[in-house]
Amino acid sequence: MMLSDAAIVRPIDRAHAARTLVCLGFAGGGTGAYRPWADVLDSDTDLAIVCYPGREGRYTEPAPRTWPELVTDATEAVVHATPTPFVLFGHSMGGWVAFDVALQLERRGGPIPDALVVSSCNSPVRGLTDKDRFPRAEDGDEELIEWMRTSGSLPDYILDDADMRAMAIRLMRADLQVRDTYDPERGARVGVPMQVFYGADDAVIEPTVADQWRTAAAGDFRVTCLPGGHFYTPRLWRRLPTRFAAWTAASVR
């Protein structure tokens, strides 16, 4: 498939980096939440953020309407983003996308990530529940805005601007509709090392999240509980890549 140049956003040009962190977005989000991470990665680590169709530089492209469409596009984006060894990261809905992309890459013979890092999501392989479908696509505008504001998924300057607020609602609702078409493969497992992050106060996360994800990992596995909610605390979120087990001490600052 033809992939738009706007499918990959690199906040800093690190063409000669030895490794890459590839990030996949959450429902209703774009690339903005990940861009500051370039400042905590050293000069030998590139940051490549996947931009889904229907937003930002791909605004004119038709947005995916089904989960397979989203995963296919994201997989091709990851392939084009990774001339170097890489770690694959996804937050919330993006964690499920990252898991399915890792599965696809393993089955097609690569490129295979050095590690898979998923954040703030229950494991999909036990089947999706009503708790996973929160917020809901049928929620009213104010309910979606409240979720975005309290979860920290979008900054106030966007939610307080009428036009940007309307766009955020449209994008969130469209992503939730795609999420609701997800039919996870029961019993699927990835072979790459996996790390799971979740917030101690995140109401979306189930108490058994560690055991859920462990069944989806055929290789090395670790789980990290952090203070805060769906996006942890602002300070933790800004420096989250420094906690990735796949990085050496020299990879972050």
Side-chain angles (χ1 to χ4, degrees):
M1 62 180 289
M2 289 292 294
L3 195 69
S4 165
D5 290 341
I8 302 296
V9 173
R10 287 183 163 88
I12 297 178
D13 183 9
R14 289 175 175 156
H16 301 294
R19 63 188 71 83
T20 303
L21 171 60
V22 182
C23 297
L24 294 161
F26 46 87
T31 64
Y34 298 133
R35 291 177 186 246
W37 288 3
D39 295 331
V40 302
L41 300 173
D42 72 2
S43 60
D44 213 22
T45 306
D46 191 18
L47 176 62
I49 311 168
V50 174
C51 179
Y52 301 143
R55 70 202 72 199
E56 297 184 22
R58 304 182 73 184
Y59 182 78
T60 60
E61 298 181 45
R65 299 181 65 86
T66 67
W67 188 263
E69 290 177 17
L70 176 61
V71 170
T72 296
D73 183 271
T75 301
E76 294 305 317
V78 170
V79 169
H80 284 77
T82 54
T84 62
F86 70 103
V87 168
L88 186 61
F89 173 84
H91 179 78
S92 195
M93 184 188 81
W96 295 345
V97 179
F99 178 74
D100 275 16
V101 168
L103 283 174
Q104 294 301 315
L105 293 175
E106 287 186 343
R107 290 169 180 174
R108 64 193 277 177
I112 296 174
D114 289 344
L116 170 65
V117 183
V118 298
S119 169
S120 293
C121 54
N122 297 306
S123 172
V125 299
R126 94 286 192 216
L128 300 191
T129 69
D130 284 345
K131 197 167 188 178
D132 295 316
R133 294 186 171 90
F134 187 83
R136 301 179 184 279
E138 62 269 21
D139 284 347
D141 289 356
E142 291 306 316
E143 291 174 291
L144 293 181
I145 287 294
E146 183 64 15
W147 160 257
M148 288 187 276
R149 191 184 299 279
T150 58
S151 70
S153 63
L154 285 177
D156 287 344
Y157 77 85
I158 290 180
L159 298 179
D160 292 340
D161 180 281
D163 291 338
M164 298 180 77
R165 174 187 173 110
M167 184 178 297
I169 293 171
R170 176 192 62 78
L171 192 58
M172 172 63 85
R173 201 180 302 281
D175 283 352
L176 296 178
Q177 290 169 346
V178 171
R179 177 204 63 189
D180 290 346
T181 69
Y182 187 21
D183 184 17
E185 179 182 341
R186 297 293 186 100
R189 305 174 80 198
V190 294
V192 300
M194 183 192 299
Q195 185 173 12
V196 176
F197 289 94
Y198 70 95
D201 301 323
D202 189 350
V204 174
I205 300 301
E206 296 179 351
T208 57
V209 62
D211 291 335
Q212 291 174 13
W213 275 112
R214 193 182 305 274
T215 65
D220 292 341
F221 176 82
R222 70 171 62 197
V223 60
T224 305
C225 178
L226 297 174
H230 202 60
F231 283 80
Y232 314 112
T233 67
R235 183 178 181 278
L236 282 173
W237 177 259
R238 283 193 300 270
R239 296 188 56 80
L240 191 63
T242 69
R243 295 175 176 267
F244 291 2
W247 300 134
T248 65
S251 298
V252 293
R253 53 185 174 191

